[in-house]
Amino acid sequence: MGSTDAFDTCVALSLEAHHVTVFEYNPLTFTHPNITTVTLANARANWDHFKGKFDVVVSMSSFDHDGLGRYNDPIDPNGDLRAMNEVKQLLTPNGILVLSLPVATDILVWNMMRIYGKVRLPMILEGWTVVDRFGWDENRYGVPPEHVRVTYEPCWVLRPIRHDAPDTPTANHLEL
């Protein structure tokens, strides 16, 4: 979700993904028989076609930009939270989200990005189970960054909490 270059897509294909679909606000020009690019406007107009179709969704430092207008996306203060809810709809029942976000103290750098701290990080992880995480450093959580352009971005592997599994712990109850 949200990739203006083909790096993540190429990595997925090199790891033997059969097909990669890239959702982006702007039209992309990637050309490969195993890559499909879709603007979010077209995806939303044909949402039923995409619901429940993806085993894995990857978002590497893209949801922190959603709703800020920088990439021709509509202004929406909760664009990042909406993107996370949309991913839940796209995943198969056992699907996962691989997510990276900048983490420090809560900061909005208009119209560039959000940095997630002790307020917004639990909000974006709400409704997800943390399966694994990489690069997490508790000492950097809630600490102001030295510079907003040099961010600390750990990675989570998340699975949506399904309503038919009421005993599943939420991300808010797991160690962030």
Side-chain angles (χ1 to χ4, degrees), residues 73-131:
D73 51 313
I75 302 297
D76 179 354
N78 293 314
D80 56 340
L81 306 178
R82 290 184 208 292
M84 290 290 283
N85 284 325
E86 287 177 340
V87 169
K88 287 179 186 176
Q89 296 174 36
L90 296 173
L91 289 170
T92 59
N94 291 314
I96 60 169
L97 168 62
V98 179
L99 174 73
S100 76
L101 296 168
V103 172
T105 53
D106 290 284
I107 300 171
L108 174 63
V109 184
W110 184 256
N111 72 343
M112 187 176 149
M113 63 194 256
R114 294 176 188 85
I115 298 177
Y116 294 82
K118 294 186 177 187
V119 174
R120 193 94 178 164
L121 185 60
M123 290 171 66
I124 201 161
L125 295 176
E126 186 175 339
W128 295 87
T129 297
V130 177
V131 176

